Amino acid sequence: MPSQTVQFLRPSPAATPAHSAILSEPSTAAQRWSVAQIEELFNMPFADLLYRAQQVHREHFDANAVQLSTLLSIKTGGCSEDCGYCPQAARYDTGVESQALMALDDVLDAARAAKAAGASRFCMGAAWRGPKQRDLEPVLDMVREVKALGMETCATLGMLKDGQAEQLREAGLDYYNHNLDTAPEFYGDIITTRAYQDRLDTLERVRDAGMNVCCGGIVGLGESLTQRAGLIAQLANLDPYPESVPINLLVQVEGTPLADTDALDPLDFVRTIAVARITMPAARVRLSAGRQQMSDAVQALCFLAGANSMFYGEQLLTTGNPEVERDRALLDKLGMYPFAEQH
Ligand code: SAM
Ligand code: DTB
Ligand code: SF4
């Protein structure tokens, strides 16, 4: 019988240690990452990529601490926008009903419960294109009161007009979340009711008001690898880059145009986390939507790749998130613990 030869994949040039050592990297905040450099990171051998991400992570953070962040949809559904992934867009038949803005006391009850369960950060989301002044006033009260509970506060209310970011900051908002979602050249395939530049303008208003920027995106929208690298390049080249970078895996919701998109390989999701960690070393990289479908092993790889925050609580905005008990058990298994900062 002819002897069988085991075929090993030949290492690509990127797999040689010499090559990975010379992968180019901007040395100052003013320098920019090119999309090609970021693609180079994505294409590294998995172990090399994770090793590099771990090194960067450990230089900046306790690698075993994870921030627990609870989300609350303070105004659900009925949104005028056409974001192709979103169950809250009025134009898609997803079963999400339009609701009024929540009452302050109900928001506070949810925040207190989140704190009691171990969350240190509370993020309030509203399905608006952007807040009108009469919408913003009650949200300012929510921010003030949640902050007074001693939690880190974050809000995501859509596009901001001049002066609104200042009002939120004065009320005690620590972070404003506004995602770029994807690369500029793919953006028009996903959203047509507002432009990439509108998003950049809102981010600038947040930055100018002196607030922390929480800005990330979604992967698994059907983007190419170059476009995924393009999203990370946009984020990493913001000057300064965001303090907080949520990386969402598309939650495929029936009734949305993206419901039947081919699922992303989980290891490509892990790679995205690692590349975000390497290019934005001091940012909190948040393992955001999409965990319900992920195995414990994939989540563990995300932490290894540099994620150090997760949504905690059984609901994201309108879709599910792992149960609190499952998350506690996962962290225990990994010897990880909640990061807590006093506010
Ligand atoms: N309406 C505001 C806006 O779009 O700016 C704030 C709320 S919006 C739901 C916040 C973010 O949630 C979006 O920018 C998007 O990144 C994320 N998101 C929404 N639907 C998602 C889905 N199905 N899967 C993953 N992420 C999603
Ligand atoms: C972010 O980047 N992801 C969160 C938060 N910021 C607001 C939202 C995820 C939403 C997932 C779909 C849903 O539950 O409606
Ligand atoms: Fe509206 Fe935000 Fe959903 Fe877009 S992502 S449809 S703006 S709630």
Side-chain angles (χ1 to χ4, degrees), residues 85 87 126 128 156 158 178-179 181 194 218 248-251 289 317:
Y85 47 74
W128 288 322
T156 183
H178 197 62
N179 292 337
D181 278 344
R194 58 191 155 148
I218 312 180
N248 297 278
L249 176 64
L250 174 69
V251 180
L317 291 175

Side-chain angles (χ1 to χ4, degrees), residues 79 81 83 85-86 88-89 127-128 194:
C79 185
E81 303 302 282
C83 312
Y85 47 74
C86 186
Q88 303 200 68
W128 288 322
R194 58 191 155 148

Side-chain angles (χ1 to χ4, degrees), residues 71-73 85-88 96 123-126 154-156 177-179 181 214-218 245-251 253 286 288-290 311 315-320:
L71 258 179
L72 178 69
S73 181
Y85 47 74
C86 186
Q88 303 200 68
V96 173
C123 179
M124 293 161 271
C154 182
T156 183
N177 167 252
H178 197 62
N179 292 337
D181 278 344
C214 176
C215 181
I218 312 180
V245 181
I247 304 291
N248 297 278
L249 176 64
L250 174 69
V251 180
V253 179
R286 303 186 189 277
S288 301
F311 285 129
Q315 176 107 339
L316 292 168
L317 291 175
T318 64
T319 65

Side-chain angles (χ1 to χ4, degrees), residues 7-298:
Q7 292 265 315
F8 289 100
L9 284 174
R10 283 176 65 82
S12 68
T16 65
H19 186 86
S20 49
I22 56 155
L23 269 176
S24 40
E25 177 179 326
S27 54
T28 69
Q31 263 182 293
R32 293 171 63 83
W33 285 90
S34 69
V35 176
Q37 282 171 321
I38 292 178
E39 256 190 283
E40 233 182 304
L41 291 174
F42 269 103
N43 285 322
M44 281 172 76
F46 191 75
D48 290 351
L49 177 64
L50 259 66
Y51 180 61
R52 185 156 162 195
Q54 256 294 293
Q55 285 176 310
V56 173
H57 194 187
R58 283 171 185 273
E59 275 165 28
H60 293 87
F61 291 100
D62 172 350
N64 301 309
V66 62
Q67 188 180 31
L68 302 181
S69 182
T70 295
L71 258 179
L72 178 69
S73 181
I74 58 170
K75 197 276 160 222
T76 302
C79 185
S80 60
E81 303 302 282
D82 72 349
C83 312
Y85 47 74
C86 186
Q88 303 200 68
R91 66 191 72 201
Y92 309 136
D93 188 9
T94 62
V96 173
E97 300 287 329
S98 178
Q99 290 167 23
L101 184 66
M102 279 176 74
L104 175 62
D105 283 349
D106 295 336
V107 173
L108 286 177
D109 285 348
R112 280 191 208 99
K115 188 177 180 194
S120 63
R121 173 185 175 89
F122 195 68
C123 179
M124 293 161 271
W128 288 322
R129 173 177 166 85
K132 300 186 181 73
Q133 189 57 32
R134 68 162 186 276
D135 298 325
L136 195 63
E137 307 279 348
V139 176
L140 298 176
D141 290 335
M142 294 173 192
V143 170
R144 261 181 227 109
E145 304 268 344
V146 173
K147 179 81 180 161
L149 298 177
M151 300 186 86
E152 185 173 290
T153 52
C154 182
T156 183
L157 315 171
M159 294 190 282
L160 296 181
K161 295 189 225 12
D162 273 343
Q164 293 186 321
E166 283 75 8
Q167 295 177 62
L168 287 162
R169 190 208 56 219
E170 277 154 30
L173 192 67
D174 295 309
Y175 290 76
Y176 192 77
N177 167 252
H178 197 62
N179 292 337
L180 287 176
D181 278 344
T182 192
E185 66 275 19
F186 189 52
Y187 182 85
D189 289 19
I190 307 296
I191 300 148
T192 69
T193 50
R194 58 191 155 148
Y196 212 75
Q197 189 58 47
D198 293 328
R199 295 194 181 242
L200 293 169
D201 291 347
T202 289
L203 293 171
E204 201 175 307
R205 290 191 172 107
V206 173
R207 187 53 87 201
D208 289 349
M211 242 181 319
N212 292 303
V213 170
C214 176
C215 181
I218 312 180
V219 293
L221 298 171
E223 73 282 354
S224 66
L225 176 59
T226 308
Q227 289 163 343
R228 207 169 302 139
L231 165 68
I232 302 290
Q234 285 289 327
L235 297 170
N237 290 334
L238 291 172
D239 190 13
Y241 59 75
E243 285 77 16
S244 164
V245 181
I247 304 291
N248 297 278
L249 176 64
L250 174 69
V251 180
Q252 295 174 244
V253 179
E254 217 178 306
T256 62
L258 295 177
D260 298 321
T261 312
D262 287 342
L264 189 76
D265 184 323
L267 295 184
D268 287 334
F269 184 80
V270 176
R271 283 181 182 272
T272 310
I273 299 270
V275 173
R277 168 53 66 221
I278 293 165
T279 55
M280 293 170 275
R284 197 158 282 280
V285 175
R286 303 186 189 277
L287 169 51
S288 301
R291 281 199 309 116
Q292 206 169 30
Q293 288 75 30
M294 272 178 219
S295 66
D296 285 0
V298 168

